[in-house]
Amino acid sequence: MKLFVLVLGLLLSPSLAAAQELSALARLVPEQSRVADKSGGIDVELVLSQPVPWRVRVLDQPPRLVLDVREVDWTGLGSVAQGSDAVAGLRAGVVRQGWSRLVLELTGPHLVARADMLTGDAAATVRLHLAPATAEEFSAAAAQPEPAGWALPKIADLPKPVPRGSGPVVVVLDPGHGGIDPGAERDGYTEAGLMLTFARELKDLLVRDGGFLVILTREEDEFVPLESRISIARAAGAHVFVSLHADAIAEGEAVGATIYTLSEEASDAASQALAERHDRADLLSGVDLTAQDDLVATILMDMARTETGPRIDRLALALEAAIKAAELRMHRHPRQTAGFSVLKSPDIPSVLVELGFMSSERDLARLIDPEWRARMALALRDGLKAWAAEDAALSALQR
């Protein structure tokens, strides 16, 4: 039987549990660990210096397996014997306070068929076997909700929501990636780092303008789950959500800024997924869905998208016009649609702005140029101001 999502707490004897509380960080034992093809699938054996609580699951786009453990030092991961053609790479880092994450980048869909931890007096071995799966099976497994309290940490220090049309425009800026997920990388730069720098600069500009209240989904180089980014926007009462990225492509050439909105094909699936996975209080602003089933919630979210859709289109047009007016390079197809998770809030106008492509030498040079970033920040500010003024005027006419 294939295991879609595993959340495993380590059961320790009283004496071992007490010892663990006093022990140092667990460490990987790389010379005794391995990843190899076996029995038509992938065998993973990771030897740790001591037992730790752990969990494992799969994630999509791109396909990968993630192993979350309590405070493991992954030094030496690069020397682990890797003999599987189905594993493109291994990486590890801090995923949240007190937890670290190992990521296995998969070349195709595989699901966890077996998972256990063998514990002894001085060490523990995590053993996994991944079996090939269909794309549909893998997507279903990756779409399973996180356990309560894992993906949605408590959100603190957020302002009280401001009603639409009154007070400053509440903008949530979402610097893509972060922490264990660096995004695209080139010449010592990471997408996560560049986007955090730009988000901080854009926030400073918007705040100094005086007409905006700005919240960042992350203030440091830390991992924030995609669904938590939407929840932060909801908790802040965001009037607009702007996700910032600078991707890389393996083939062809892409240059210039691109503005993405949620595709129509993704909208229905997004409503269904949100209804299944999110807290009912986190779906629609001001609407109590705690007693409603998935079908009712999906219908109400589709109705919200009917109103929000034109507002998103006007937002994308306003940003495109402002970037072009600033004579900044845009992609030959400057406005595109996609099914990005961060665009799926049904009632918050949301766009994803690819500032450029790190796979392009010219774009990377622009991204690390403070003067170019200042010009782009000004353009985005002008686009947001133009959109907010138009949105407020149209909202007043509809009252």
Side-chain angles (χ1 to χ4, degrees):
M1 177 181 178
K2 293 174 181 174
L3 305 178
F4 280 3
V5 179
L6 295 172
V7 181
L8 305 178
L10 181 63
L11 300 178
L12 303 174
S13 68
S15 59
L16 184 56
Q20 185 185 4
E21 289 176 1
L22 299 175
S23 64
L25 195 73
R27 300 179 307 281
L28 174 71
V29 185
E31 62 273 14
Q32 298 179 31
S33 302
R34 68 180 183 90
V35 178
D37 290 330
K38 186 177 181 181
S39 303
I42 309 166
D43 259 11
V44 180
E45 286 193 5
L46 300 168
V47 178
L48 306 177
S49 61
Q50 65 182 41
V52 288
W54 64 294
R55 62 163 222 156
V56 62
R57 69 165 298 165
V58 294
L59 296 173
D60 209 349
Q61 298 178 348
R64 57 204 188 278
L65 176 133
V66 298
L67 173 71
D68 296 325
V69 291
R70 285 297 298 269
E71 299 186 5
V72 166
D73 180 353
W74 293 103
T75 299
L77 179 64
S79 62
V80 169
Q82 213 287 75
S84 173
D85 294 334
V87 177
L90 305 174
R91 66 179 190 271
V94 176
V95 68
R96 62 191 302 169
Q97 185 175 3
W99 287 80
S100 57
R101 169 170 288 186
L102 173 69
V103 179
L104 275 72
E105 299 173 352
L106 304 175
T107 60
H110 285 71
L111 291 178
V112 179
R114 186 183 69 249
D116 55 41
M117 175 183 279
L118 299 179
T119 60
D121 292 337
T125 302
V126 176
R127 302 188 307 179
L128 308 173
H129 182 74
L130 281 64
T134 66
E136 292 75 15
E137 289 173 330
F138 190 87
S139 295
Q144 293 294 305
E146 296 278 15
W150 176 267
L152 305 177
K154 292 182 179 180
I155 300 168
D157 301 326
L158 289 179
K160 293 182 179 180
V162 178
R164 180 181 164 196
S166 64
V169 178
V170 181
V171 179
V172 171
L173 298 178
D174 174 44
H177 307 281
I180 182 62
D181 177 18
E185 299 179 80
R186 182 175 179 177
D187 298 343
Y189 295 97
T190 67
E191 181 180 3
L194 290 173
M195 292 306 95
L196 182 57
T197 296
F198 182 80
R200 288 169 172 166
E201 293 169 348
L202 179 55
K203 176 181 179 178
D204 183 61
L205 177 66
L206 294 175
V207 170
R208 285 189 285 109
D209 182 85
F212 298 93
L213 179 61
V214 186
I215 297 96
L216 301 187
T217 58
R218 62 182 181 93
E219 299 277 358
E220 303 295 338
D221 183 21
E222 59 188 2
F223 175 81
V224 179
L226 294 176
E227 291 186 352
S228 294
R229 298 171 191 249
I230 297 177
S231 297
I232 289 169
R234 173 81 61 240
H239 297 148
V240 61
F241 179 93
V242 181
S243 192
L244 301 167
H245 288 257
D247 212 341
I249 58 173
E251 299 179 1
E253 183 178 5
V255 179
T258 314
I259 300 166
Y260 285 91
T261 57
L262 185 68
S263 67
E264 292 184 6
E265 292 78 10
S267 296
D268 291 341
S271 293
Q272 182 177 355
L274 287 172
E276 292 172 351
R277 298 171 62 176
H278 270 245
D279 292 337
R280 283 296 188 262
D282 197 39
L283 293 176
L284 286 171
S285 179
V287 180
D288 183 4
L289 295 177
T290 53
Q292 305 302 327
D293 61 21
D294 289 352
L295 177 60
V296 173
T298 299
I299 291 172
L300 290 175
M301 284 189 287
D302 287 342
M303 292 173 63
R305 289 188 199 282
T306 301
E307 177 190 356
T308 309
R311 299 177 64 205
I312 295 173
D313 291 340
R314 291 192 295 269
L315 173 61
L317 284 168
L319 293 175
E320 178 191 5
I323 293 172
K324 287 182 174 178
E327 299 182 345
L328 296 166
R329 180 68 182 269
M330 294 201 77
H331 189 271
R332 62 182 179 273
H333 301 296
R335 282 184 292 113
Q336 300 185 39
T337 62
F340 295 122
S341 295
V342 291
L343 300 179
K344 294 178 179 179
S345 179
D347 58 338
I348 301 175
S350 304
V351 294
L352 185 148
V353 180
E354 290 274 8
L355 295 174
F357 294 86
M358 290 183 66
S359 48
S360 162
E361 185 175 345
R362 287 173 291 173
D363 273 1
L364 179 59
R366 285 187 275 262
L367 290 165
I368 62 179
D369 179 4
E371 291 187 8
W372 182 90
R373 293 199 307 268
R375 291 175 60 202
M376 177 59 78
L378 283 168
L380 294 182
R381 181 205 64 181
D382 292 345
L384 287 169
K385 289 180 71 172
W387 171 79
E390 181 185 21
D391 192 60
L394 291 173
S395 176
L397 291 175
Q398 295 170 0
R399 291 174 186 167

